[in-house]
């Protein structure tokens, strides 16, 4: 099922108002070129599953989400598309009417055409596209702004959840831009949006399975979970608020994927300098049949977690020692 956008009579979003015409009698020209889209995700080279926090490692992952698309007339703050839904349907990205579960069609603007019923004329036919994933902005993202003059994205991260339980069903926030697009310079495949990861990702695994040891919690100490992001700044992140702990696991124990040697689930964090202090709470039998909880601590080399990178910490845990391997543990996400 396909249909045109319900606000055809008000905006230049379909062929009927896209032809060069007078302000009184728009001429319908269905052959007007249609806007099509394609997406990519800045890649990561490794993936360990399963996990609960939803991160987008590749284009296939991205296709499970609806995306929000804004398009501005280049060099202006005037929107041509305002919160359009981009939906992956079967084999292609399509603009979508979620209520009607049907495709929408948007067309490239034609300079000199009528823009709205008041008769304002378009003087720009080139568009700047901005995409956001997921469509509904996650609760930890606030004050999301796109600056049309600087082509800059800013937002605040407020109280990012810091346990795997709190990050259950949490969705990673990403954005993308494609500037100065028009019907002549866009390839047949459509406007290309490459989504970037403003956060970093932490994941953990075992050096080997430890059948006699139950891992209760792993705590990465003194990490900030509030800050502001500015794409044009260097560094892009400015931290705020008090530090807290990033905690994997709970009082019952991890779900341990023994085959993948994965500990817990991947979590996202604000990129920042981290001092490297780790504490593990694990249980094993000392003498009798009842496991006893033990706290083991270590400090790895300080590091600056960067946006768009995934960091794997490999644990070797024994009753005598805790070792965390950080050699070759960083990969681009």
């Amino acid at each position: 099922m396909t249909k045109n956008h319900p606000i055809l009579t008000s905006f230049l979003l379909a062929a009927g108002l896209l032809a060069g015409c007078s302000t009184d009698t728009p001429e319908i020209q269905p052959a007007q070129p249609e806007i099509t889209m394609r997406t990519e995700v800045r890649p990561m080279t490794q993936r360990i599953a399963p996990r609960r926090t939803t991160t987008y490692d590749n284009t296939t992952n991205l296709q499970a989400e609806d995306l929000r698309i804004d398009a501005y007339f280049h060099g202006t703050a005037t929107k041509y598309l305002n919160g359009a839904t981009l939906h992956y349907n079967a084999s292609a990205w399509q603009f979508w009417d979620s209520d009607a579960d049907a495709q929408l069609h948007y067309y490239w603007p034609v300079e000199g055409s009528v823009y709205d019923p008041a008769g304002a004329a378009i003087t720009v036919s080139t568009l700047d596209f901005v995409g956001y994933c997921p469509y509904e902005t996650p609760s930890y993202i606030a004050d999301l702004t796109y600056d049309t003059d600087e082509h800059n994205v800013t937002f605040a991260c407020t109280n990012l959840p810091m346990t795997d339980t709190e990050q259950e069903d949490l969705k990673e926030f990403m954005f993308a831009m494609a500037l100065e697009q028009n019907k002549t310079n866009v390839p047949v495949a459509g406007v290309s949006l490459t989504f970037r990861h403003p956060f970093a990702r932490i994941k953990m695994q075992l050096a080997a399975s430890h059948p006699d040891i139950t891992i209760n919690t792993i705590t990465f100490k003194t990490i900030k979970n509030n800050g502001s992001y500015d794409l044009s700044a260097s560094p892009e992140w400015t931290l705020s608020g008090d530090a807290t702990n990033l905690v994997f696991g709970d009082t019952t124990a991890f779900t341990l994927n023994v085959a993948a040697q994965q500990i817990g689930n991947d979590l996202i964090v604000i990129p920042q300098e981290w001092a490297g202090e780790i504490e593990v709470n694990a249980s094993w039998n000392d003498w009798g049949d009842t496991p006893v909880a033990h706290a083991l601590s270590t400090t790895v080399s300080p590091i600056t977690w960067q946006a768009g990178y995934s960091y794997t910490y490999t644990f070797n845990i024994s009753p005598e020692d805790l070792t965390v391997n950080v050699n070759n543990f960083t990969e681009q996400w």
Side-chain angles (χ1 to χ4, degrees):
M1 175 180 179
T2 63
K3 72 171 190 175
N4 288 330
H5 194 277
I7 57 172
L8 285 176
T9 57
S10 299
F11 296 99
L12 208 169
L13 300 179
L17 296 185
L18 289 171
C21 56
S22 70
T23 60
D24 298 323
T25 308
E27 178 183 347
I28 297 176
Q29 292 188 6
Q32 180 64 36
E34 184 174 353
I35 298 175
T36 57
M37 308 289 293
R38 58 193 173 114
T39 66
E40 298 177 2
V41 178
R42 289 193 172 184
M44 61 169 293
T45 57
Q46 179 183 357
R47 205 173 131 203
I48 299 178
R51 61 174 164 270
R52 288 180 288 183
T53 304
T54 300
T55 57
Y56 308 99
D57 304 342
N58 51 47
T59 302
T60 300
N61 294 158
L62 196 65
Q63 291 166 359
E65 292 291 341
D66 283 350
L67 312 178
R68 177 161 66 90
I69 305 298
D70 293 336
Y72 300 82
F73 291 104
H74 179 66
T76 79
T78 302
K79 284 186 177 180
Y80 180 60
L81 301 181
N82 186 6
T85 299
L86 192 64
H87 173 79
Y88 193 80
N89 184 35
S91 60
W93 287 102
Q94 297 174 343
F95 289 109
W96 204 253
D97 183 337
S98 299
D99 293 333
D101 197 30
Q103 184 179 3
L104 295 175
H105 298 274
Y106 297 128
Y107 298 83
W108 289 103
V110 175
E111 191 170 326
S113 295
V114 176
Y115 175 58
D116 63 23
I122 295 173
T123 58
V124 177
S125 58
T126 300
L127 301 176
D128 294 333
F129 289 84
V130 186
Y132 304 98
C133 176
Y135 185 94
E136 298 294 338
T137 306
S139 60
Y140 60 91
I141 301 295
D143 302 326
L144 176 60
T145 302
Y146 173 70
D147 186 308
T148 57
D149 291 330
E150 301 296 331
H151 307 298
N152 188 41
V153 173
T154 59
F155 61 85
C157 177
T158 305
N159 297 323
L160 178 67
M162 293 293 278
T163 71
D164 59 347
T165 301
E166 292 174 331
Q167 284 205 18
E168 185 172 0
D169 299 325
L170 190 76
K171 293 182 178 181
E172 175 198 7
F173 173 73
M174 298 193 304
F175 66 90
M177 290 184 289
L179 307 179
E180 299 187 59
Q181 307 288 297
N182 58 55
K183 65 180 181 180
T184 60
N185 68 9
V186 170
V188 175
V191 175
S192 179
L193 287 175
T194 300
F195 283 80
R196 66 171 68 211
H197 305 275
F199 290 88
R201 186 176 68 185
I202 305 299
K203 55 186 182 178
M204 299 177 300
Q205 62 187 26
L206 290 173
S209 60
H210 297 279
D212 297 327
I213 294 178
T214 298
I215 303 169
N216 301 316
T217 59
I218 296 179
T219 302
F220 286 41
K221 294 191 171 183
T222 317
I223 296 171
K224 291 198 173 185
N225 64 332
N226 288 273
S228 58
Y229 177 88
D230 184 336
L231 177 62
S232 67
S234 182
E236 295 172 353
W237 280 95
T238 300
L239 304 179
S240 60
D242 297 327
T244 184
N245 293 330
L246 181 70
V247 181
F248 298 76
D250 54 33
T251 56
T252 56
F254 281 106
T255 299
L256 178 60
N257 184 338
V258 176
Q261 299 176 204
Q262 180 189 359
I263 306 173
N265 301 283
D266 302 347
L267 301 184
I268 59 173
V269 293
I270 295 176
Q272 61 191 276
E273 294 182 10
W274 179 54
E277 187 179 357
I278 299 174
E279 182 177 287
V280 174
N281 183 287
S283 299
W284 60 80
N285 293 349
D286 283 327
W287 302 104
D289 296 329
T290 303
V292 177
H294 301 265
L296 302 170
S297 297
T298 191
T299 300
V300 298
S301 298
I303 188 173
T304 298
W305 291 328
Q306 299 181 59
Y309 280 78
S310 182
Y311 300 88
T312 300
Y313 291 84
T314 303
F315 288 75
N316 195 328
I317 302 171
S318 72
E320 293 79 26
D321 193 17
L322 164 64
T323 303
V324 182
N325 182 10
V326 296
N327 292 327
N328 301 318
F329 77 125
T330 305
E331 60 195 5
Q332 187 166 359
W333 188 4

